[in-house]
């Protein structure tokens, strides 16, 4: 079966750094997406990785290791507005997105 | 700059009633998707379309039907609603499958079946 694991909830302090992990076991791999979803809103695209390594976009970075079936999203200089759920999704061999349940990130002042 | 628009935003139905959820996109995307999102679970694909006039089943298609008569619209129908279909429904669209093209989501329809 196909499986994506993320921690259910994490708490961090404003101004700090947090790393959200995602491990996956899927039938094939054609890339990995990270999305942000604020409560009651739509998911919005954050990043895409298809090759091993780190992709940096401002305060957000995403890392991929295909051999380990592992990715993480790194958020720096946390702001209160970063309080949201972060969704990991893998593109499988049929080019369908397989979604993790999401990690709810709580930022405390 | 509308993007993906879903109507209605909220709806309450009684068991056995039918309804249609509407999704419209103005980005000229070929691919459109319907998902449901339930607490503690990832987004699950109901049906999708790879172009006007085409539809295909996703992971959880039972109890739902879809139509894509026009490229910009993707309709999701519930013929006989059941309490298990209480969920938040998201429509999404993308330029292509894979190639790092992200899916763009509508704001969701919150559906309760009593």
């Amino acid at each position: 079966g196909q499986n994506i694991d993320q921690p259910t909830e994490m708490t961090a302090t404003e101004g700090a750094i947090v790393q959200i992990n995602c491990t996956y076991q899927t039938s094939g791999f054609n890339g990995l997406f990270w999305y942000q979803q604020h409560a009651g809103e739509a998911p919005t695209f954050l990043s895409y990785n298809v090759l091993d390594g780190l992709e940096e976009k401002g305060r957000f970075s995403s890392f991929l290791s295909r051999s380990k079936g592992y990715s993480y999203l790194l958020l720096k200089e946390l702001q209160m507005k970063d309080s949201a759920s972060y969704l990991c999704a893998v593109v499988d061999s049929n080019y369908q997105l397989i979604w993790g349940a999401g990690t709810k990130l709580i930022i405390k002042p | 700059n509308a993007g993906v628009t879903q109507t209605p935003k909220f709806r309450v139905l009684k068991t056995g009633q039918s309804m249609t959820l509407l999704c419209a996109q103005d980005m000229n995307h070929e691919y459109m998707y319907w998902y449901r999102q339930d607490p503690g679970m990832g987004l699950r694909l109901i049906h999708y379309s790879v172009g006007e006039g085409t539809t295909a089943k996703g992971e959880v298609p039972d109890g739902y039907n879809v139509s894509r008569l026009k490229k910009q619209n993707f309709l999701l129908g519930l013929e006989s609603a059941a309490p298990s279909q209480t969920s938040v429904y998201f429509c999404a669209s993308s330029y292509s499958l894979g190639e790092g093209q992200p899916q763009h989501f509508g704001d969701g329809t919150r559906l309760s079946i009593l």
Side-chain angles (χ1 to χ4, degrees):
Chain A
Q2 309 207 84
N3 194 50
I4 296 182
D5 287 319
Q6 306 178 232
T8 301
E9 186 174 297
M10 299 181 69
T11 302
T13 304
E14 189 177 15
I17 299 172
V18 70
Q19 177 176 310
I20 302 174
N21 296 327
C22 171
T23 59
Y24 61 89
Q25 289 178 309
T26 55
S27 58
F29 178 86
N30 285 298
L32 185 146
F33 287 92
W34 284 96
Y35 280 77
Q36 180 190 60
Q37 185 177 26
H38 285 100
E41 297 184 8
T44 56
F45 169 72
L46 285 178
S47 68
Y48 173 75
N49 295 71
V50 66
L51 299 176
D52 290 351
L54 189 69
E55 294 279 344
E56 297 186 79
K57 262 189 188 180
R59 293 189 300 115
F60 292 9
S61 303
S62 56
F63 172 82
L64 174 66
S65 169
R66 289 173 297 172
S67 62
K68 295 183 179 178
Y70 167 70
S71 173
Y72 67 73
L73 182 69
L74 191 71
L75 289 73
K76 303 176 185 176
E77 301 170 12
L78 285 170
Q79 302 175 7
M80 297 304 293
K81 67 178 181 179
D82 297 330
S83 292
S85 289
Y86 291 85
L87 314 180
C88 172
V90 172
V91 185
D92 72 7
S93 56
N94 294 319
Y95 288 92
Q96 298 298 337
L97 281 182
I98 310 301
W99 295 82
T103 299
K104 182 178 181 180
L105 178 63
I106 299 168
I107 310 297
K108 295 187 175 179
Chain B
N1 216 10
V4 179
T5 303
Q6 291 184 233
T7 52
K9 295 192 186 306
F10 304 93
R11 186 73 184 268
V12 178
L13 290 178
K14 294 181 179 177
T15 297
Q17 286 185 317
S18 64
M19 81 161 294
T20 300
L21 280 64
L22 309 179
C23 177
Q25 54 96 4
D26 62 2
M27 295 173 282
N28 201 34
H29 285 166
E30 289 291 339
Y31 299 84
M32 296 187 75
Y33 316 84
W34 276 107
Y35 291 96
R36 60 178 290 173
Q37 187 174 41
D38 300 295
M41 302 181 72
L43 288 161
R44 291 184 291 168
L45 184 64
I46 304 170
H47 286 280
Y48 64 100
S49 168
V50 300
E52 181 179 315
T54 74
T55 63
K57 294 181 180 180
E59 180 188 354
V60 289
D62 293 342
Y64 305 94
N65 56 74
V66 288
S67 64
R68 181 105 181 262
L69 298 179
K70 293 183 178 180
K71 185 177 182 178
Q72 62 267 34
N73 298 333
F74 196 26
L75 280 58
L76 178 71
L78 285 74
E79 290 188 347
S80 180
S84 61
Q85 294 177 305
T86 292
S87 187
V88 180
Y89 291 86
F90 285 102
C91 176
S93 71
S94 67
Y95 176 73
S96 69
L97 287 177
E99 299 173 4
Q101 292 294 322
Q103 294 183 10
H104 301 264
F105 286 80
D107 289 336
T109 295
R110 283 142 189 86
L111 184 61
S112 293
I113 315 295
L114 304 177

